[in-house]
Amino acid sequence: MKEVIEKQIKEFGLPVMTDEKSGALQWLDLRELNLRYIISIENIKPFFEGLKEGKLLTTKCKHCGRIFFPPQRDCPSCRISDMEWVELSREGTLETLTVIFVKPPSFGSYDPYTVAIAKLDDGPRITAWLKGDPRKAKPGMRVRLEISKREKEGYMMYELVPVE
Amino acid sequence: MSENVAIIGVGHSKFGDRRDVNVPELAWESIKPALDSANVDQKDIDFFVLGNAGIWSSEAALPALMAEYADLSPKGSMRVEAACATGNAAIRVGYTAIKSGEADVVLILGIEKMRESQNPTVIELIGRFGSFFWEFENFGLTFPGYYALHATAYMVKYGASEEDFARVAVKNHYYGAKNPYAQFQKEVTLEKVMEPKYVAWPFKLFDCSPITDGSAAIILASEEFAKDAENKIWIHSQGVGTGTANLSKREDFTSLESARYAAEIAYKKAGIDVDAPYKYLDGANVHDCFTAPEIMAYEDLRFAKKGGGVKLIRDEQTYIGGLIPVNIDGGLKAKGHPIGATGVSQAVEAYKQLLSQAEPGRQADIEKGRWLAHNVGGTGHYTYVTIYGLEKLKR
């Protein structure tokens, strides 16, 4: 796009272009926005430390015993913020899946990927990529949660793996 | 205070790829006919609500921009966002403002100009209408993806097929072809919909609503102000529900809890039997951002029992002449889905249908005098169900 804009300015003296389909004149915005969020994970830090050590941790309210996944600092039932960190059950049952063919540009380096939701044996559900051939996967099948390195981006993340 | 709230005028732009206009011009295409048909002047408007999800389009201070462009300054205004339910959320604000007595006449404008950004950017942004961190950031879910997770669960639980979903697209394109405001005014065959151009399995290209520019506007008025209006319909009731951000926090993927909740409230307030609502309705617009969610909506709205929605489409019961005509303006699927405008467009359709002003070939028989609109934001993150009536609600 940047090259197109430069070319148009050179040619017409303005960043304008006629849309091919409609024939309507368009202004090509010069003020490109690069958006990247910086998100606080301070209060759920053990989750990320656990991930690095190959553990999947989440929060459990010390008072009412409610387990939260994703982990959160505050228990809305008790209105008390006193959580303990417990390990998630690593096995569960696949509930549903999809294969993403039309990807967001920020996932452009990956091949089509399978996103699934599983219900873990200790209760919580989890959304994650499902490893393996999606044509062989079916809701109701047993899956295991594993931690692995994302090949393209090199960071640790959990994924669902079919139990043979 | 006004117990009853009327729609006394409507306007609707052509939906589609509208690179021929900018944002305020696109808005004016529906504001002008809304003011004209309501026979009101800008000075009569007490308050205006602007439904716009934005980000993909350049202008952010939309109420101010429209105050300037459409001569609405210095009246009060508000911009509303509820993902794909933004339009009906805007109506909600106007409806409650009139009911509470804070305003007599409110202009509601829904507008979206999604094509000011390039398609990949829109795909990137729209995938974030869930849990940003736990669904999008790490697992790259897209908007079709969220609903595809529901479609898969529905197929497995109730034995529906991709072909069943395709029938929804065939129906909605059939009616879209008769709607001059629709983005796609072309019928499609089942074979065409079934072409294996997968977007998010099991959804293919023709299971998905398009990226659309468009606007729609309505004028809401108190009972007192509406008494002289020649053409009007009434809002009988509204129900609103909210779901969890993460789909993984939900019990089931064959239904949307927020939709069931919103429907129950709307039916109750309007005195409609929740076990057979179709007996009270001449038709409905439901949120078919994809094909499968239209079938889920049949069930969430209780037009069919759980698992029975798929039979309604197989038996063509949601065409005109069936149990209840649904999306006979083409729906989001063929009419297009300009996020912020969709809920307002549904209200325009209720007005046209109930007043028998719909185009030839897509006018329902109006016998019961009521129409339903079901507008979902995200994947059941928000649901608005609104019942419209030709006559005032008998309480």
Side-chain angles (χ1 to χ4, degrees):
Chain A
M1 194 59 154
K2 205 168 160 240
E3 294 75 30
V4 176
I5 294 174
E6 280 168 8
K7 185 176 153 274
Q8 294 301 105
I9 292 178
K10 222 169 158 189
E11 220 167 293
F12 303 103
L14 286 170
V16 296
M17 194 168 77
T18 302
D19 175 52
E20 268 179 41
K21 235 167 108 188
S22 62
L25 194 65
Q26 314 290 306
W27 176 273
L28 306 172
D29 177 17
L30 298 165
R31 313 299 159 211
E32 189 178 9
L33 177 67
N34 187 348
L35 192 64
R36 186 188 298 280
Y37 302 114
I38 298 166
I39 304 163
S40 176
I41 51 169
E42 175 62 20
N43 294 305
I44 50 168
K45 204 159 38 180
F47 175 81
F48 297 92
E49 290 163 351
L51 211 52
K52 279 201 298 193
E53 291 163 18
K55 278 190 203 160
L56 269 171
L57 300 175
T58 199
T59 50
K60 181 180 179 181
C61 177
K62 279 184 189 168
H63 296 259
C64 69
R66 185 169 163 189
I67 297 175
F68 296 87
F69 188 82
Q72 61 185 60
R73 184 189 65 178
D74 310 301
C75 177
S77 328
C78 303
R79 301 192 200 167
I80 295 170
S81 305
D82 191 13
M83 297 281 186
E84 59 179 320
W85 286 86
V86 294
E87 273 202 68
L88 274 176
S89 156
R90 297 294 278 264
E91 288 208 8
T93 306
L94 190 74
E95 290 199 326
T96 190
L97 71 144
T98 180
V99 186
I100 307 296
F101 288 94
V102 177
K103 295 165 285 181
S106 61
F107 281 83
S109 64
Y110 290 94
D111 290 331
Y113 44 87
T114 307
V115 186
I117 301 176
K119 186 170 167 57
L120 301 177
D121 291 341
D122 52 1
R125 288 182 173 80
I126 192 163
T127 303
W129 282 3
L130 176 71
K131 202 176 169 179
D133 185 352
R135 284 166 296 195
K136 289 182 186 151
K138 232 186 138 82
M141 75 190 275
R142 296 290 292 166
V143 286
R144 201 171 57 242
L145 258 180
E146 282 182 6
I147 293 162
S148 63
K149 198 177 256 183
R150 282 281 169 88
E151 28 152 351
K152 310 275 184 187
E153 292 162 305
Y155 74 107
M156 302 303 284
M157 192 39 62
Y158 51 89
E159 63 177 348
L160 292 162
V161 180
V163 174
E164 296 301 328
Chain B
M1 266 180 56
S2 178
E3 183 90 35
N4 296 302
V5 177
I7 298 179
I8 60 169
V10 301
H12 202 289
S13 82
K14 164 86 173 65
F15 280 8
D17 187 340
R18 296 297 312 273
R19 277 172 235 244
D20 56 321
V21 287
N22 66 19
V23 168
E25 291 161 355
L26 183 62
W28 185 250
E29 288 183 19
S30 57
I31 292 177
K32 179 192 153 30
L35 292 170
D36 287 349
S37 59
N39 195 23
V40 298
D41 199 76
Q42 279 93 329
K43 70 173 175 3
D44 299 319
I45 307 285
D46 296 317
F47 191 73
F48 62 104
V49 191
L50 209 146
N52 174 253
I55 325 179
W56 30 62
S57 53
S58 52
E59 295 290 350
L62 276 186
L65 178 64
M66 291 322 300
E68 174 183 312
Y69 195 88
D71 271 350
L72 293 164
S73 182
K75 298 299 173 59
S77 66
M78 186 189 290
R79 176 177 164 184
V80 172
E81 188 277 330
C84 313
T86 293
N88 214 328
I91 295 172
R92 177 79 182 161
V93 173
Y95 175 58
T96 50
I98 293 173
K99 265 181 108 69
S100 72
E102 277 290 310
D104 276 317
V105 186
V106 179
L107 165 74
I108 313 289
L109 171 73
I111 181 164
E112 212 67 62
K113 200 144 191 305
M114 304 176 73
R115 287 178 178 266
E116 277 196 1
S117 287
Q118 295 183 296
N119 278 6
T121 308
V122 175
I123 293 163
E124 180 83 29
L125 291 170
I126 209 167
R128 300 166 180 221
F129 277 136
S131 159
F132 178 81
F133 187 83
W134 301 95
E135 292 180 334
F136 179 78
E137 168 83 2
N138 293 302
F139 307 109
L141 267 167
T142 58
F143 193 47
Y146 292 110
Y147 270 108
L149 287 167
H150 287 77
T152 305
Y154 190 93
M155 288 200 296
V156 169
K157 189 165 179 186
Y158 298 121
S161 65
E162 288 181 50
E163 208 169 278
D164 289 324
F165 297 154
R167 290 175 210 279
V168 174
V170 172
K171 171 178 71 70
N172 295 354
H173 275 265
Y174 172 79
Y175 288 114
K178 301 176 192 323
N179 183 352
Y181 298 94
Q183 181 162 1
F184 299 131
Q185 296 171 33
K186 215 164 85 182
E187 293 184 24
V188 293
T189 61
L190 197 67
E191 293 69 41
K192 180 86 188 157
V193 183
M194 287 300 288
E195 280 175 8
K197 295 177 186 158
Y198 282 99
V199 173
W201 183 88
F203 289 150
K204 300 164 287 296
L205 188 62
F206 274 86
D207 285 295
C208 307
S209 59
I211 294 170
T212 309
D213 303 326
S215 76
I218 58 172
I219 310 286
L220 295 180
S222 64
E223 198 168 343
E224 175 61 22
F225 192 92
K227 70 177 189 298
D228 298 326
E230 201 179 321
N231 287 316
K232 57 181 171 265
I233 64 167
W234 300 88
I235 297 179
H236 280 191
S237 67
Q238 270 195 328
V240 189
T242 309
T244 61
N246 276 287
L247 297 189
S248 65
K249 289 279 196 173
R250 304 183 188 177
E251 287 299 313
D252 171 76
F253 307 105
T254 62
S255 173
L256 301 173
E257 191 189 10
S258 66
R260 296 197 308 272
Y261 178 79
E264 204 168 299
I265 290 177
Y267 289 151
K268 220 167 145 186
K269 286 188 177 171
I272 289 175
D273 176 7
V274 296
D275 289 320
Y278 46 85
K279 288 184 181 163
Y280 298 75
L281 300 165
D282 288 315
N285 277 76
V286 310
H287 200 87
D288 59 323
C289 46
F290 303 96
T291 49
E294 173 162 325
I295 294 174
M296 282 176 19
Y298 297 163
E299 299 173 19
D300 290 340
L301 295 167
R302 310 280 287 268
F303 301 164
K305 289 205 169 66
K306 283 199 172 177
V310 66
K311 199 168 177 311
L312 279 192
I313 192 69
R314 278 181 200 153
D315 296 345
E316 303 193 342
Q317 288 296 323
T318 48
Y319 281 79
I320 292 172
L323 181 76
I324 179 166
V326 175
N327 290 335
I328 56 174
D329 58 353
L332 284 57
K333 179 67 207 59
K335 186 178 60 180
H337 181 25
I339 306 285
T342 287
V344 186
S345 169
Q346 291 179 331
V348 173
E349 173 67 357
Y351 176 97
K352 284 173 76 170
Q353 287 291 342
L354 288 171
L355 294 169
S356 296
Q357 294 178 0
E359 291 79 11
R362 57 169 224 89
Q363 173 64 53
D365 298 329
I366 303 303
E367 290 158 353
K368 300 150 193 166
R370 293 215 257 198
W371 198 267
L372 178 146
H374 159 273
N375 190 197
V376 181
T379 321
H381 293 80
Y382 320 110
T383 304
Y384 287 76
V385 173
T386 308
I387 313 283
Y388 298 100
L390 193 51
E391 304 295 335
K392 256 182 289 184
L393 180 65
K394 291 180 195 79
R395 286 169 211 276

